[in-house]
Amino acid sequence: MDIMEEGNLMDRVRILLQRDQVYYAEHQKVIQENVCRTVAGGLLDFPKTTTFVASKIVTWWEESYYLLFRSSSALFQGNTSVDFAKDEEDNISVGKSITPQEFVYQISQSTVKILNHLHTLSQEALDHADLTVLTGTIGTATLIKNTIWIYNQQFLRTNSGISLSKELKIFQNMSDALAERLLDLHCRLISLYILQDVDCLNWSSEYPFFEGERSSYTIQMWWLYVQGTLEDLWISMPPKMAEQIFSGILNESLTVLTSRYMQAKPKKARGELLIADLSNILFCMFKLLPAICENGDEFLGCRIVSNVIRDIHVKCHLLFSCFLLRGLPLPILYKIFKDGIANVPCLVKRENNAIEPWIIFAASEKNDTIPPEVKTCDNLPFEIMLKYQLQVLLSRAQPDWPLLLKVVRMNDGWLLHEILHQVLVEEDESENEISFECCDGFLCNDDCPITSNAQYAITHLVLSIGSTEEIEKTLVKVLEQIPEKWAIYFNYSQIWNQNRPLWIRAIISFILPTIKYMKKIIATSSKSSVPSEILQMYLDYMKSTINCLPEGVIHLSQLIENVLPADVIPLGDSSLIQLMAITLYDELGSESPVSELLCRLETNDLQEFQKSISDLTQNLTRNLSDLRSEELNEVLVNHILTEKSGRASLKIIYEYLENRSNWLQVKLKMDPRINIKRGVLHKMFYIGNSEYDQVLSRAWIPKWASLINMPLGLTTEMIQNQLSSRPEFDQETTLSKHDQAIVTQIKAQFVPEIKCAT
């Protein structure tokens, strides 16, 4: 679409919107473009996609912002593709400027035109159920809202008395309203078209559905629809908004399903269909729920923060109770109720923070039974808890950095140890260094391209925040398992060898800032000095600044000294001196005379240096192993994210877990995530790795006795209502003499109001 880049801003905006309207009328779509993956989401919940119109208008606004403040806003800082003041040949000349009042007027007038345009597009999209256009308008409204918020914050900081709060509120309401309309559209499609099937829902039929060979179409189509919806939302929508919409879809559809199946009174021919449908719903929810939970504890039902998640757990609990009471074989039912309905174990209330019973049921189908003695998440075996934490982490619409940190620090960094062992000891071929190019998305910045290498990222992360135990169990234990070639980099004769592995480079990166600082000082004060004097100055500076090094590096050097082979002797008999020496060698370069002298140093030349290190490391400990609260993870993540190398480390580890950890998922018996791209037939006929209709096909048989003996917190009224709705309790159902005797004895325990005539 042709656009006008010159002239008055208001004229450009008006013409752009007109041409976009014409384009939509001709093609019934809007031009969309991706937002940089490092910008999408975050605290302001930036969209993952937006429209071409929104990107152009925001760029034009930023030009005016630059004219006003002579610097880019936080939205464009670090942007590699946009520079608003290269020279006077650009659209913005250096001499131009505008007043704050003019800038606010431009924003205010532009928002009126954009708002009208979005109203038109969104109404057309809703009339035609065009989800692509609707998500595009949501992306536009969200991007405009966030841009105005950033500009408004700048005015607040300058105390100018000028505000964009009115425009901000308008687009906040607009984006919220569009999200509600999208949620309503999905819910109406599900309730009116997906969950309606006269044949499947004909509980009074005397004939089994599909001759008893399959469960209902409605649940299977619902399962397929919500999988596709999840993928679409995760790809196109602002992450937080996507999770809110998807949680609303699950909650609303569960309301319909819970009401339907709790009240259903099927004939004998349709009784098995109801049991199959209920089991399939629970298995599907077990796969869908992690995508909207904060952590594994919330997924398991132990510590729930969100009211929506609490509602979903309650409805799944009701469906599970219905499944049990409707599906229990009569002989087991007789044994359970033999001592009276008031004495059944399922009446016992669950403990606080207990794992949800329906989760235990759904997990057991995956051959990953939660031990019966385990009551809460706190007592869950480490590997099982890690599995569910990972399930939630990798299912979210965007990376959750505090949760990632919590997961990798569990059990003194067990997960990091396993990954590092895989890439160093097992020599994982997928660990070859891969450079990601810039995504070319809107607002792409210098954080976008990263080099993916897990050994560098893990080393950097552990040295940044790891305790002594984590450093030892994660790094040192793995190094001991590598063939002895790892240790040669700590031999004094290898200072010149710059062919070093990435884990060594990660250690050097912590020492390099100190060396660079020394180099600047010495460069200005040693112009007439000889190389030997310069080297001595470096040694003196390094000796005086070792207490400025990160504690993680000092601890690691101590631990490495304890495991070095006998034939490896570091410079000055100190791993820390060796690391500082090779960092200095790299910084000075191999052609420097000082570097040549550095390689010839003897232990006698470093005695004072050794003493300083000995004094520093005496009684030095770093223990964070007992501080793993959510608050601490938030603090540590904020510290890590302030540095580019820290941000890259977290992204690399997350990317590895997301795309390269098949071996880990097999080890932990994890099913593939719901948003992994698979064929439509696989999505329809499989739930995770298990075939659909596990209970109906007898591929998996529930352990009925153990399930009904769990504390479920049921009431006698609910038990009686559900049992009375079983086909065996219908007077017209023909039963064997044995089964009839069981039914008669159980009916005798019913209170008169619910008691059925025999």
Side-chain angles (χ1 to χ4, degrees):
M1 182 170 60
D2 295 332
I3 57 172
M4 183 176 68
E5 293 285 2
E6 298 179 355
N8 181 273
L9 173 63
M10 301 312 304
D11 290 338
R12 282 184 281 164
V13 170
R14 177 178 54 80
I15 294 172
L16 176 65
L17 296 178
Q18 288 177 350
R19 291 179 178 176
D20 189 64
Q21 190 67 43
V22 172
Y23 184 87
Y24 175 77
E26 294 176 352
H27 302 88
Q28 292 299 298
K29 64 179 182 180
V30 293
I31 302 175
Q32 299 197 42
E33 59 180 282
N34 295 325
V35 176
C36 177
R37 59 176 175 262
T38 61
V39 175
L43 293 176
L44 294 181
D45 201 26
F46 275 89
K48 292 188 174 181
T49 60
T50 189
T51 58
F52 173 75
V53 166
S55 65
K56 289 305 302 181
I57 291 176
V58 168
T59 303
W60 291 339
W61 282 357
E62 187 68 14
E63 293 175 357
S64 297
Y65 181 94
Y66 186 90
L67 289 177
L68 176 60
F69 293 103
R70 290 301 167 185
S71 65
S72 299
S73 69
L75 190 65
F76 279 79
Q77 284 179 2
N79 193 286
T80 56
S81 59
V82 179
D83 189 351
F84 297 110
K86 290 181 180 178
D87 52 48
E88 295 198 10
E89 295 180 359
D90 289 338
N91 292 332
I92 303 175
S93 64
V94 177
K96 289 184 179 180
S97 64
I98 62 173
T99 65
Q101 291 75 15
E102 290 175 333
F103 179 76
V104 172
Y105 175 79
Q106 290 178 354
I107 299 293
S108 178
Q109 293 301 307
S110 300
T111 54
V112 173
K113 298 181 183 299
I114 299 169
L115 198 63
N116 293 332
H117 183 63
L118 291 181
H119 274 302
T120 302
L121 288 180
S122 60
Q123 192 59 51
E124 288 283 337
L126 290 168
D127 291 343
H128 299 91
D130 192 335
L131 297 178
T132 303
V133 174
L134 188 57
T135 55
T137 58
I138 292 174
T140 298
T142 306
L143 179 62
I144 296 295
K145 176 201 69 175
N146 291 347
T147 304
I148 295 175
W149 184 89
I150 291 172
Y151 293 163
N152 195 48
Q153 289 298 112
Q154 176 64 21
F155 284 123
L156 292 177
R157 284 192 293 268
T158 57
N159 296 318
S160 60
I162 298 175
S163 173
L164 290 169
S165 299
K166 178 182 177 181
E167 290 76 12
L168 177 62
K169 185 176 181 180
I170 290 174
F171 275 91
Q172 176 68 61
N173 294 337
M174 180 67 172
S175 60
D176 292 344
L178 289 175
E180 290 179 5
R181 297 299 298 273
L182 180 59
L183 171 60
D184 180 65
L185 178 59
H186 278 294
C187 290
R188 284 190 288 116
L189 288 174
I190 290 175
S191 60
L192 296 178
Y193 300 102
I194 306 297
L195 296 181
Q196 299 298 330
D197 189 297
V198 176
D199 192 16
C200 295
L201 303 178
N202 186 9
W203 302 117
S204 60
S205 175
E206 300 291 344
Y207 302 98
F209 175 72
F210 213 83
E211 298 182 356
E213 294 183 359
R214 60 157 297 143
S215 60
S216 66
Y217 297 122
T218 56
I219 304 304
Q220 197 167 15
M221 293 301 103
W222 169 78
W223 165 235
L224 180 63
Y225 183 88
V226 291
Q227 287 184 91
T229 301
L230 184 147
E231 291 182 6
D232 291 342
L233 291 175
W234 264 225
I235 292 172
S236 59
M237 295 285 292
K240 291 179 184 177
M241 185 183 291
E243 291 178 358
Q244 292 172 356
I245 292 173
F246 190 69
S247 62
I249 292 171
L250 288 185
N251 198 19
E252 290 297 322
S253 57
L254 273 180
T255 300
V256 176
L257 295 173
T258 303
S259 176
R260 173 182 299 171
Y261 286 96
M262 291 289 289
Q263 299 179 46
K265 294 185 178 181
K267 293 293 185 180
K268 185 177 181 180
R270 294 291 174 110
E272 196 172 20
L273 173 65
L274 184 139
I275 303 303
D277 281 354
L278 287 171
S279 63
N280 287 330
I281 293 171
L282 294 173
F283 293 152
C284 292
M285 284 305 304
F286 185 75
K287 291 297 301 175
L288 295 167
L289 189 57
I292 55 175
C293 291
E294 289 291 329
N295 49 51
D297 298 60
E298 193 169 52
F299 170 48
L300 297 176
C302 298
R303 285 175 281 272
I304 304 175
V305 178
S306 167
N307 290 330
V308 175
I309 302 299
R310 183 176 288 106
D311 288 346
I312 290 175
H313 272 299
V314 168
K315 291 166 187 174
C316 288
H317 181 72
L318 291 174
L319 291 172
F320 173 62
S321 302
C322 181
F323 168 78
L324 274 182
L325 296 172
R326 303 291 190 94
L328 274 170
L330 285 178
I332 297 178
L333 196 64
Y334 172 73
K335 292 179 181 179
I336 296 297
F337 291 91
K338 186 176 181 180
D339 296 329
I341 197 171
N343 298 315
V344 294
C346 58
L347 292 174
V348 179
K349 291 185 177 180
R350 295 184 295 120
E351 297 180 11
N352 292 333
N353 298 329
I355 300 174
E356 283 285 346
W358 79 269
I359 291 285
I360 296 175
F361 161 73
S364 63
E365 187 270 339
K366 306 299 179 186
N367 297 318
D368 188 20
T369 306
I370 295 175
E373 66 274 8
V374 174
K375 305 297 183 183
T376 66
C377 292
D378 296 332
N379 300 325
L380 204 60
F382 158 70
E383 289 188 351
I384 296 179
M385 191 66 232
L386 174 63
K387 167 185 173 178
Y388 292 128
Q389 296 285 10
L390 271 175
Q391 196 85 19
V392 172
L393 174 66
L394 299 178
S395 299
R396 299 287 298 276
Q398 65 177 337
D400 186 330
W401 303 125
L403 181 57
L404 173 63
L405 200 60
K406 176 182 178 179
V407 168
V408 300
R409 297 190 70 217
M410 289 174 68
N411 199 24
D412 290 330
W414 180 89
L415 183 59
L416 296 180
H417 172 275
E418 292 297 310
I419 298 175
L420 203 57
H421 183 276
Q422 183 75 10
V423 300
L424 289 179
V425 180
E426 301 294 335
E427 297 181 351
D428 184 5
E429 293 182 359
S430 67
E431 181 51 16
N432 295 330
E433 195 168 328
I434 299 175
S435 294
F436 290 92
E437 300 296 332
C438 286
C439 63
D440 294 329
F442 183 57
L443 302 178
C444 186
N445 55 40
D446 60 354
D447 269 357
C448 183
I450 59 173
T451 299
S452 178
N453 192 288
Q455 58 173 296
Y456 185 97
I458 291 174
T459 305
H460 187 279
L461 184 65
V462 172
L463 293 181
S464 296
I465 61 165
S467 65
T468 304
E469 292 84 356
E470 289 171 336
I471 294 174
E472 181 176 12
K473 292 183 178 181
T474 302
L475 294 177
V476 180
K477 292 297 183 185
V478 175
L479 292 178
E480 288 184 276
Q481 298 169 12
I482 304 177
E484 292 186 0
K485 63 183 181 181
W486 74 271
I488 65 171
Y489 303 103
F490 288 90
N491 198 322
Y492 70 91
S493 64
Q494 296 294 316
I495 293 177
W496 60 271
N497 186 357
Q498 294 180 298
N499 184 23
R500 304 187 183 100
L502 288 173
W503 61 269
I504 286 280
R505 296 185 199 173
I507 301 172
I508 293 175
S509 68
F510 286 91
I511 306 174
L512 189 58
T514 304
I515 301 297
K516 284 182 175 291
Y517 179 70
M518 296 176 194
K519 186 179 178 181
K520 290 181 179 179
I521 296 176
I522 293 175
T524 59
S525 60
S526 60
K527 295 181 179 179
S528 61
S529 302
V530 296
S532 59
E533 294 175 348
I534 296 175
L535 177 59
Q536 188 58 48
M537 293 174 65
Y538 271 113
L539 295 176
D540 292 339
Y541 272 114
M542 288 193 294
K543 180 183 65 175
S544 62
T545 58
I546 55 174
N547 57 348
C548 299
L549 295 176
E551 288 186 8
V553 174
I554 299 173
H555 282 287
L556 178 61
S557 63
Q558 286 181 289
L559 294 169
I560 284 178
E561 286 181 16
N562 297 332
V563 297
L564 284 176
D567 58 338
V568 174
I569 302 175
L571 184 64
D573 291 326
S574 170
S575 297
L576 183 58
I577 295 178
Q578 177 82 12
L579 289 169
M580 297 187 76
I582 61 178
T583 307
L584 177 60
Y585 186 92
D586 286 353
E587 181 63 19
L588 296 177
S590 58
E591 302 298 326
S592 171
V594 178
S595 299
E596 181 68 22
L597 292 174
L598 182 65
C599 296
R600 298 178 183 178
L601 281 174
E602 300 290 341
T603 302
N604 294 334
D605 302 324
L606 302 166
Q607 290 180 351
E608 293 185 8
F609 206 161
Q610 291 172 315
K611 186 177 183 304
S612 298
I613 293 176
S614 178
D615 294 340
L616 174 66
T617 57
Q618 189 174 9
N619 299 323
L620 182 65
T621 59
R622 189 189 197 199
N623 188 7
L624 295 174
S625 59
D626 57 340
L627 301 174
R628 303 186 186 281
S629 64
E630 303 295 335
E631 293 79 9
L632 178 65
N633 285 328
E634 291 279 358
V635 172
L636 292 177
V637 162
N638 290 335
H639 168 69
I640 295 170
L641 293 177
T642 56
E643 298 178 346
K644 183 177 180 180
S645 55
R647 294 193 297 271
S649 296
L650 289 176
K651 293 174 185 177
I652 291 168
I653 294 172
Y654 182 85
E655 187 271 341
Y656 184 92
L657 290 173
E658 187 177 38
N659 299 320
R660 305 189 192 179
S661 59
N662 292 335
W663 59 271
L664 179 64
Q665 295 184 20
V666 172
K667 185 171 186 175
L668 296 177
K669 299 179 181 177
M670 291 176 62
D671 275 349
R673 301 190 314 281
I674 196 67
N675 57 347
I676 287 180
K677 296 293 185 180
R678 293 200 171 193
V680 174
L681 291 179
H682 191 281
K683 293 176 184 176
M684 181 181 295
F685 292 104
Y686 283 83
I687 303 175
N689 284 330
S690 302
E691 292 185 5
Y692 199 80
D693 279 339
Q694 286 283 293
V695 173
L696 183 66
S697 64
R698 305 293 191 274
W700 177 77
I701 300 175
K703 297 180 180 179
W704 297 104
S706 61
L707 292 174
I708 195 60
N709 278 304
M710 290 192 298
L712 300 177
L714 304 182
T715 63
T716 55
E717 291 77 14
M718 179 182 179
I719 293 174
Q720 292 174 138
N721 282 324
Q722 292 302 313
L723 291 180
S724 299
S725 299
R726 288 178 62 128
E728 297 94 331
F729 285 71
D730 191 337
Q731 293 181 7
E732 300 179 1
T733 303
T734 303
L735 299 174
S736 66
K737 186 176 180 179
H738 174 268
D739 291 349
Q740 184 61 53
I742 293 176
V743 171
T744 302
Q745 292 189 38
I746 295 176
K747 282 182 178 180
Q749 301 176 28
F750 288 176
V751 294
E753 290 77 10
I754 306 179
K755 187 174 181 180
C756 300
T758 57

